[in-house]
Amino acid sequence: MEVADLKILFFDVGGILLSNGWGHEAREEAAKRFKLDYAEVNALHNFIFNVYEIGSITLDEYLDTVIFNHPRDFVREDFKDFIYSTSVELPMLQFLKDWKKDCGFRIISVNNEGKELNDYRVRKFKLHECFDAFVSSCEVKMRKPDPGIWQLAMGIAQASPQQCVYFDDRKMFVDTAQKLGIRAFQHTSLEGTKKILETLKKENLKTK
């Protein structure tokens, strides 16, 4: 395949292939289950979670600030187990695993995730079956919407913006990718994204 024909697909993970790793719904459920003050937890979470996502602190250090800043009647491991349990597979994941087998594209994740959650989700849901590489915020010390994370991903792929396509469920991140010259789509449904992928596959075959 000529370099000019190269196509790279960049995919977000949370909200497309899996539920969000530690989204507000999960935090609300945690507050009910563990009898926490959700407003306090959420304020502290918003203050420090970005630091966790770029790999500057561990999950335990995040929890020290957000949860175990008070004496609790539950243990740390039970709370961590709950965090992990909130990750569930979405229908798009199995479709992408199957579609990748003969799609003719390399597929790379570009996602914001803390180290422990990222490692767990890759292993638990066998994400190597759909991704050729992972550009995760915790590993590269940048998080979306920093344009640098897409630029790094393109450098890893050795591809120009015109050779890349990006999918994300958040419009802000789609807009940022588009500003870099990347063809980007907002994921809103399984059927909608499937149609886009099939169209891209047909376009790719025509260039060969």
Side-chain angles (χ1 to χ4, degrees):
M1 186 165 60
E2 296 295 325
V3 173
D5 298 331
L6 181 65
K7 298 292 192 305
I8 303 292
L9 301 185
F10 295 136
F11 259 87
D12 182 35
V13 176
I16 301 182
L17 307 179
L18 304 175
S19 60
N20 287 314
W22 184 227
H24 68 88
E25 299 96 340
R27 298 195 304 277
E28 288 173 355
E29 178 61 28
K32 294 175 185 175
R33 180 172 300 197
F34 293 95
K35 297 180 174 57
L36 303 170
D37 180 340
Y38 176 73
E40 178 191 17
V41 167
N42 203 47
L44 291 170
H45 167 89
N46 290 334
F47 178 72
I48 200 169
F49 194 63
N50 292 356
V51 182
Y52 173 55
E53 282 195 324
I54 61 170
S56 293
I57 60 172
T58 66
L59 179 58
D60 279 322
E61 288 169 325
Y62 162 83
L63 291 175
D64 285 342
T65 297
V66 178
I67 304 299
F68 295 100
N69 55 335
H70 301 302
R72 301 296 187 187
D73 59 1
F74 53 87
V75 298
R76 182 181 298 262
E77 289 308 310
D78 286 347
F79 196 85
K80 288 165 74 170
D81 286 345
F82 174 80
I83 291 176
Y84 294 135
S85 74
T86 62
S87 288
V88 297
E89 179 176 336
L90 301 180
M92 187 73 207
L93 178 59
Q94 188 57 54
F95 170 81
L96 190 63
K97 287 180 178 180
D98 295 336
W99 186 81
K100 185 183 187 300
K101 294 173 183 176
D102 65 350
C103 70
F105 294 89
R106 283 189 290 163
I107 306 179
I108 298 173
S109 79
V110 180
N111 68 307
N112 290 346
E113 199 75 86
K115 173 71 174 170
E116 292 86 349
L117 275 170
N118 193 63
D119 290 354
Y120 170 81
R121 283 151 70 89
V122 170
R123 181 178 66 253
K124 169 71 175 177
F125 299 101
K126 298 182 170 74
L127 298 187
H128 283 100
E129 293 179 10
C130 60
F131 290 122
D132 297 296
F134 297 85
V135 180
S136 302
S137 62
C138 59
E139 302 290 357
V140 303
K141 311 301 182 186
M142 290 181 286
R143 66 187 298 279
K144 299 178 291 187
D146 185 336
I149 197 168
W150 287 278
Q151 291 164 340
L152 177 63
M154 288 188 285
I156 290 170
Q158 286 297 291
S160 67
Q162 294 74 26
Q163 295 168 319
C164 300
V165 180
Y166 177 64
F167 292 88
D168 202 300
D169 62 312
R170 299 189 182 187
K171 187 176 184 299
M172 178 197 303
F173 299 159
V174 170
D175 291 345
T176 304
Q178 288 176 340
K179 288 175 183 177
L180 294 171
I182 299 170
R183 193 172 169 190
F185 298 93
Q186 184 178 11
H187 170 83
T188 57
S189 70
L190 173 63
E191 289 305 316
T193 298
K194 282 170 63 174
K195 288 179 182 177
I196 295 169
L197 288 172
E198 289 299 333
T199 299
L200 292 171
K201 187 175 178 180
K202 290 175 183 177
E203 290 177 0
N204 194 40
L205 289 172
K206 289 178 183 178
T207 63
K208 291 185 177 180

